[in-house]
């Protein structure tokens, strides 16, 4: 068992949409297709009508070069496009304009790497190539793909700029695959060319083999949340076959994220099936050293640099900085908070403990929650002003995340205001003393019993008693008893 597990080899082929582009890769149609009426963002070019000619989107090339630099790749001197020929309903031209690394072709960039950190260990995952290509249209199936009675096709996505990033099979577990995709997303988001929160903006195919056996390709992994599940399933499936002595077939399988299984789609096609040849409608683009240096000099801050800055600027420990910068959303949220209220460590503490825990336990991303930096800061201010206790804040935070309500409003609605009125507390302490006479006696000599009485008061007030005042009153009353001024 163990030996099979240890020899898992995974290579990823990731397709990332350059979502910051306004228009498609080879035409001026809007690339903002989500939620739009099907087949309305189309033109002769992206519909593949006869005689229509593609024109390369310059910004897409710059973004792609920027991404390749951030992934430590070597950039090619020439950018050439190829036709990848195949028939599929989502591909109106019957070929995809892409890049190819043979037959005189070169990918935009190659030979890069990315480091991932897992359990304190750093691992280098090599990136074999990065290239630009067009997204096909979107097929809409009714129910599971293998049971759909018919298929609808929406060409609004046809021609949207995609970056294809291919790794070497250096990944050895489903978890590492997820960490790789997370890191990749984080870098691309920091570059400002990609928004991973958009549905379908990052899609991943994975090659996976066990014990040096046959490689199986798993397609249709639509997010890094899914990658771990899909690969875990595939490992169990392949291991089952190997143990039964059945050969693992070389094939393409489809990840069904509803049923959480992979299903056989087709025998894997071979490279020669695609009849790659140079795209005659696009001229090669020369990428000069100046152009690369110009892009490099304007690169936004990358996550690793941001971690350093968070430590320097906000005095955060390395661990905090790394957690906060693990996603751009989170890091932006933090800096937004600090801008309003300059208490970086306090803000970081609340984010790293309660906020992240809640998001993790509910499988949410920050943008899917309703909390804003202002709400979190308002909550921390209320603690600092002594209006609420930390304990109450812990109750407020999840309500803010779910409801998006202002903390003051939550306090009012839930009746969570701290009780700091001495008269009210004094009466409540009398009640606690009356109900816990033995503990009161013990408390005259035993500090532990004092804590117990404080605890009882907290229980009675559902955590709302001001701890400092409560302590003062309880100790005061115990002194009175000791001096004989008051009886138990
Ligand atoms: Zn178009
Ligand atoms: Mn591709």
């Amino acid at each position: 068992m163990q030996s099979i597990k240890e020899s898992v080899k995974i290579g990823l082929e990731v397709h990332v949409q350059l979502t910051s582009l306004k228009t498609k890769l080879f035409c001026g149609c809007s690339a903002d297709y989500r939620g739009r009426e099907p087949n309305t963002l189309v033109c002769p070019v992206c519909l593949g009508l006869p005689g229509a000619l593609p024109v390369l989107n310059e910004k897409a090339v710059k973004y792609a070069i920027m991404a390749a630099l951030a992934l430590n790749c070597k950039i090619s001197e020439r950018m050439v496009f190829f036709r990848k020929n195949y028939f599929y309903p989502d591909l109106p031209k019957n070929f995809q304009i892409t890049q190819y690394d043979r037959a005189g072709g070169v990918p935009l960039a190659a030979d890069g790497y990315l480091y991932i950190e897992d359990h304190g260990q750093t691992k280098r995952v090599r990136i074999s190539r990065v290239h630009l290509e067009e997204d096909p249209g979107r097929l809409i199936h009714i129910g599971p793909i293998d049971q759909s009675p018919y298929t609808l096709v929406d060409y609004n996505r046809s021609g949207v700029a995609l970056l294809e990033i291919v790794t070497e099979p250096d990944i050895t577990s489903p978890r590492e695959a997820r960490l790789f995709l997370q890191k990749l997303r984080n870098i691309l988001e920091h570059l400002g060319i990609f928004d991973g929160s958009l549905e379908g903006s990052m899609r991943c195919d994975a090659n996976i083999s066990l014990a040096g056996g046959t490689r199986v390709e798993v397609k249709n992994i639509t997010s890094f949340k899914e990658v771990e599940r899909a690969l875990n399933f595939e490992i169990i499936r392949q291991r089952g076959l190997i143990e039964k002595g059945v050969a693992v077939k070389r094939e393409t399988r489809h990840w069904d994220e509803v049923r959480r299984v992979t299903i056989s789609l087709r025998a894997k096609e071979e490279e020669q099936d695609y009849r790659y040849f140079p795209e005659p409608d696009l001229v090669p683009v020369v990428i000069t050293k100046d152009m690369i240096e110009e892009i490099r000099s304007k690169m936004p801050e990358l996550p690793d640099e941001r971690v350093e800055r968070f430590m320097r600027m906000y005095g955060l420990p390395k661990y905090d900085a790394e957690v906060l910068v693990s996603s751009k959303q989170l890091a932006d949220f933090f800096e937004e908070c600090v801008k309003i209220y300059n208490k970086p460590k306090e803000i970081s503490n609340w984010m790293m403990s309660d906020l992240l825990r809640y998001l993790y336990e509910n499988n949410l991303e920050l943008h899917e929650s309703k909390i804003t930096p202002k709400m979190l800061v308002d909550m921390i201010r209320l603690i600092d002003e002594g209006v609420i206790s930390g304990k109450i804040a812990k109750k407020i935070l999840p309500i803010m995340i779910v409801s998006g309500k202002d903390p003051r409003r939550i306090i009012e609605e839930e009746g969570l205001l701290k009780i700091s009125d001495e008269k009210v507390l004094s009466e409540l302490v009398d009640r606690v003393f009356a109900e816990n006479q033995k503990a009161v006696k013990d408390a005259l000599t035993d500090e532990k019993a004092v804590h117990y009485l404080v605890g009882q008061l907290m229980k009675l007030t559902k955590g709302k008693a001001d701890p400092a005042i409560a302590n003062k009153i309880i100790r005061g009353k115990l002194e009175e008893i000791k001096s004989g001024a008051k009886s138990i």
Side-chain angles (χ1 to χ4, degrees):
M1 266 321 244
Q2 195 57 27
S3 65
I4 292 174
K5 196 166 173 239
E6 275 167 6
S7 63
V8 171
K9 268 191 180 175
I10 297 166
L12 298 177
E13 192 181 301
V14 191
H15 286 95
V16 171
Q17 288 177 339
L18 299 175
T19 52
S20 299
L21 292 173
K22 297 255 180 314
T23 55
K24 295 183 179 181
L25 185 53
F26 299 116
C27 63
C29 290
S30 168
D32 187 12
Y33 66 85
R34 289 175 179 82
R36 302 291 293 266
E37 182 79 13
N39 299 307
T40 54
L41 307 176
V42 289
C43 74
V45 174
C46 54
L47 280 178
L49 300 187
L53 291 173
V55 178
L56 181 58
N57 182 331
E58 188 184 346
K59 219 171 190 176
V61 177
K62 288 190 173 156
Y63 283 2
I65 291 173
M66 206 201 279
L69 289 173
L71 300 174
N72 307 296
C73 290
K74 293 184 189 80
I75 313 289
S76 299
E77 289 166 5
R78 265 158 59 96
M79 176 142 183
V80 282
F81 285 98
F82 270 61
R83 289 186 179 182
K84 179 182 182 180
N85 297 280
Y86 64 99
F87 170 79
Y88 211 60
D90 61 7
L91 200 66
K93 297 194 293 290
N94 287 345
F95 61 82
Q96 180 192 32
I97 304 179
T98 178
Q99 297 190 276
Y100 193 47
D101 53 0
R102 280 178 239 178
V106 279
L108 171 68
D111 293 331
Y113 61 88
L114 206 62
Y115 288 113
I116 52 173
E117 275 103 60
D118 189 13
H119 298 305
Q121 289 211 309
T122 301
K123 174 163 192 169
R124 183 180 163 116
V125 176
R126 289 169 298 160
I127 290 164
S128 28
R129 59 192 156 84
V130 174
H131 75 235
L132 260 180
E133 63 184 30
E134 55 178 347
D135 210 348
R138 211 159 61 89
L139 294 180
I140 298 150
H141 304 287
I142 314 303
I145 190 171
D146 58 343
Q147 289 163 26
S148 180
Y150 56 88
T151 301
L152 298 168
V153 57
D154 174 10
Y155 289 113
N156 283 352
R157 198 180 72 182
S158 173
V160 164
L162 279 185
L163 205 59
E164 181 180 312
I165 298 150
V166 183
T167 79
E168 297 287 333
D170 292 343
I171 296 164
T172 52
S173 73
R175 184 183 149 83
E176 278 181 14
R178 175 172 58 77
L179 291 171
F180 177 86
L181 292 184
Q182 266 170 335
K183 182 86 185 258
L184 178 64
R185 171 180 172 174
N186 198 18
I187 289 172
L188 297 176
E189 288 191 338
H190 272 89
L191 293 175
I193 61 178
F194 171 66
D195 180 355
S197 69
L198 295 173
E199 191 255 323
S201 60
M202 178 185 265
R203 278 119 54 194
C204 169
D205 302 337
N207 283 302
I208 172 164
S209 66
L210 260 62
T214 313
R215 266 192 312 150
V216 171
E217 188 180 19
V218 183
K219 280 195 178 286
N220 190 45
I221 303 169
T222 53
S223 70
F224 61 77
K225 285 182 191 167
E226 292 296 320
V227 77
E228 216 170 345
R229 282 186 193 141
L231 291 173
N232 275 325
F233 176 88
E234 197 46 31
I235 288 174
I236 291 165
R237 188 189 71 87
Q238 291 187 25
R239 189 180 289 156
L241 289 174
I242 294 168
E243 280 167 4
K244 273 187 266 172
V246 180
V248 175
K249 261 192 286 187
R250 180 163 161 79
E251 61 180 350
T252 300
R253 299 181 69 85
H254 173 95
W255 170 242
D256 184 326
E257 62 178 46
V258 178
R259 289 180 291 174
R260 295 192 179 168
V261 293
T262 64
I263 49 178
S264 181
L265 217 52
R266 54 179 183 264
K268 174 80 182 132
E269 52 288 276
E270 303 288 334
E271 287 253 296
Q272 65 260 26
D273 296 336
Y274 288 122
R275 296 290 181 268
Y276 281 96
F277 65 85
E279 165 58 82
D281 289 340
L282 286 163
V283 290
V285 176
V286 175
I287 302 171
T288 62
K289 288 222 158 52
D290 287 351
M291 195 173 158
I292 295 171
E293 285 322 305
E294 159 97 13
I295 292 168
R296 198 196 298 275
S297 69
K298 288 186 184 148
M299 284 245 273
E301 183 183 46
L302 287 168
D304 290 349
E305 296 159 2
R306 200 172 190 187
V307 168
E308 296 289 323
R309 183 167 61 81
F310 272 28
M311 292 164 63
R312 204 174 55 237
M313 224 169 126
Y314 304 120
L316 293 180
K318 187 159 191 251
Y319 179 75
D320 292 37
E322 279 176 348
V323 171
L324 291 174
V325 182
S326 65
S327 105
K328 183 168 186 290
Q329 286 174 29
L330 212 57
D332 289 349
F333 188 99
F334 169 78
E335 293 213 88
E336 235 9 83
C337 287
V338 176
K339 241 187 251 165
I340 325 177
Y341 195 45
N342 192 19
K343 297 254 179 136
K345 184 60 184 153
E346 264 181 270
I347 293 165
S348 161
N349 285 348
W350 278 100
M351 286 183 67
M352 300 213 353
S353 54
D354 293 68
L355 178 59
L356 278 184
R357 188 185 317 122
Y358 186 91
L359 295 177
Y360 179 78
E361 282 170 0
N362 293 279
N363 202 19
L364 285 174
E365 284 192 42
L366 185 57
H367 73 94
E368 292 168 310
S369 84
K370 291 193 172 149
I371 192 169
T372 63
K374 184 167 181 310
M375 285 176 208
L376 183 69
V377 161
D378 282 348
M379 186 198 82
I380 297 173
R381 273 200 178 121
L382 289 172
I383 306 171
D384 290 351
E385 288 162 5
V387 179
I388 54 170
S389 62
K391 217 170 173 179
I392 295 293
K394 279 178 186 290
K395 284 187 193 163
I396 294 175
L397 191 68
I399 304 175
M400 287 198 293
I401 294 171
V402 176
S403 69
K405 283 182 191 164
D406 177 79
R408 281 189 185 272
R409 197 174 140 199
I410 297 170
I411 292 168
E412 274 166 37
E413 285 180 2
E414 309 278 324
L416 292 173
L417 210 58
K418 204 158 73 173
I419 305 171
S420 43
D421 185 316
E422 296 207 16
K423 195 162 163 282
V424 174
L425 281 177
S426 176
E427 282 167 23
L428 290 167
V429 171
D430 285 343
R431 220 173 108 187
V432 169
F433 275 27
E435 285 163 10
N436 298 278
Q437 296 195 2
K438 180 171 181 311
V440 174
K441 215 176 278 167
D442 294 346
L444 297 174
T445 52
D446 182 2
E447 183 65 19
K448 255 193 238 150
V450 179
H451 292 311
Y452 175 80
L453 289 171
V454 174
Q456 290 303 305
L457 179 67
M458 285 298 173
K459 208 168 141 194
L460 185 66
T461 58
K462 300 195 172 68
K464 287 188 284 183
D466 182 305
I469 301 174
N471 249 292
K472 199 186 85 189
I473 292 174
I474 288 174
R475 285 175 199 280
K477 285 188 194 285
L478 289 172
E479 280 309 314
E480 283 175 33
I481 295 167
K482 260 191 222 168
S483 67
K486 191 178 170 8
S487 58
I488 295 175

